[in-house]
Amino acid sequence: MSLLTLENVHSYYGRIHALKGISLTVEEGEIVTLIGANGAGKSTTLRTISGLLHPKQGRILLKDQDISQMNPHLIVNAGVGHVPEGRGIFPKLTVKENLEIGAFVIDDPLEVERRMEYAFEMFPRLKERIAQKGGTLSGGEQQMLATARGLMLNPHILMLDEPSMGLSPVLVELIFDIIKQMNEKGTTILLVEQNALMALSIAHRGYVLQTGEIVLSDTAANLKKNEMVKKAYLGVE
């Protein structure tokens, strides 16, 4: 049984048919990436999984639980973490307070502390800035904070939407190295990323989306060698 399964999912923004029969799987322990041009439906797929948008047709299964029509907070409780595009941290709250909000479903203070220490293990720079307000962090540090906040849930699957957006090449490499480390320590990841080459360099498998449909799926290694992918997304003529 796959950890996450989408079966023929159709989602709409009003009358706009944004997802047109998306079917995909994510196995436990994998990094799976969604690549495609702007407007292809990558972020909409994540929003639909996390309950911010409910599909009008199809099913979304977390293991054997149908989460298709569940409210977002219940989907979080079920174990789906979502780090949205644009980071969405609380700028007036400290690093520690942002992380504590990420653990809002946990009643045990010792468990919250344990998860915070794990977040600091993954992102030691945040520990140095534990009392600093989120809005005063650099762009890279804010992305680290947003990702660490997602980890506070100890989710079954962590969905990352454009984690490299707006970052320098050095910080992009650092963020992707941390994503790979998180996966090696057991976090399953569904990754949306404009930088297709970086995404495919750490992913196990990938899906290519065009105008709300999956047009190609394969191992990351094979997608990197695919002529269509190379020309359209990797900048290789």
Side-chain angles (χ1 to χ4, degrees):
M1 180 191 303
S2 298
L3 176 58
L4 179 72
T5 304
L6 275 66
E7 298 176 348
N8 192 34
V9 169
H10 293 256
S11 293
Y12 291 75
Y13 291 109
R15 293 183 178 181
I16 298 172
H17 196 175
L19 298 183
K20 305 168 185 174
I22 296 290
S23 296
L24 60 83
T25 60
V26 181
E27 305 297 333
E28 193 164 349
E30 281 191 310
I31 299 176
V32 173
T33 187
L34 307 181
I35 61 176
N38 287 333
K42 306 184 302 296
S43 295
T44 301
T45 300
L46 300 195
R47 289 172 57 82
T48 302
I49 294 167
S50 62
L52 299 172
L53 194 66
H54 291 310
K56 290 196 174 180
Q57 184 181 333
R59 293 198 307 165
I60 303 169
L61 302 175
L62 186 66
K63 295 188 177 178
D64 58 352
Q65 183 179 14
D66 190 338
I67 62 172
S68 308
Q69 302 300 322
M70 287 172 60
N71 289 329
H73 72 281
L74 296 177
I75 292 175
V76 170
N77 288 347
V80 177
H82 185 184
V83 180
E85 180 183 346
R87 298 157 195 153
I89 64 162
F90 296 94
K92 294 185 178 180
L93 300 184
T94 66
V95 167
K96 183 180 181 183
E97 289 166 340
N98 269 275
L99 293 178
E100 287 171 341
I101 286 174
F104 74 98
V105 298
I106 305 167
D107 295 326
D108 182 358
L110 291 177
E111 179 63 13
V112 173
E113 187 176 331
R114 186 188 69 78
R115 294 190 185 184
M116 194 171 295
E117 282 305 313
Y118 176 66
F120 288 146
E121 180 186 339
M122 289 289 96
F123 300 94
R125 194 176 301 187
L126 294 180
K127 190 166 188 177
E128 299 169 6
R129 290 156 174 73
I130 188 169
Q132 194 170 324
K133 291 190 185 305
T136 67
L137 300 175
S138 70
E141 290 164 349
Q142 289 186 18
Q143 183 61 55
M144 292 178 193
L145 179 56
T147 306
R149 187 179 61 193
L151 274 181
M152 290 295 291
L153 290 165
N154 193 24
H156 294 309
I157 183 167
L158 182 63
M159 303 191 301
L160 302 174
D161 195 351
E162 302 287 4
S164 76
M165 181 177 287
L167 302 184
S168 69
V170 172
L171 281 175
V172 170
E173 291 220 6
L174 176 60
I175 289 293
F176 273 83
D177 185 54
I178 293 170
I179 293 170
K180 189 174 180 182
Q181 287 179 46
M182 290 191 303
N183 176 251
E184 289 170 350
K185 288 180 178 289
T187 303
T188 303
I189 293 169
L190 179 57
L191 172 66
V192 162
E193 178 53 53
Q194 199 68 32
N195 188 333
L197 185 60
M198 287 297 292
L200 292 172
S201 73
I202 65 168
H204 299 95
R205 294 187 299 113
Y207 294 87
V208 179
L209 275 70
Q210 288 180 2
T211 59
E213 298 180 89
I214 291 173
V215 296
L216 187 61
S217 65
D218 209 331
T219 65
N222 285 343
L223 288 175
K224 284 172 72 174
K225 295 184 288 188
N226 181 278
E227 290 302 320
M228 184 271 281
V229 173
K230 286 163 67 174
K231 289 178 180 177
Y233 306 111
L234 304 183
V236 178
E237 294 298 332

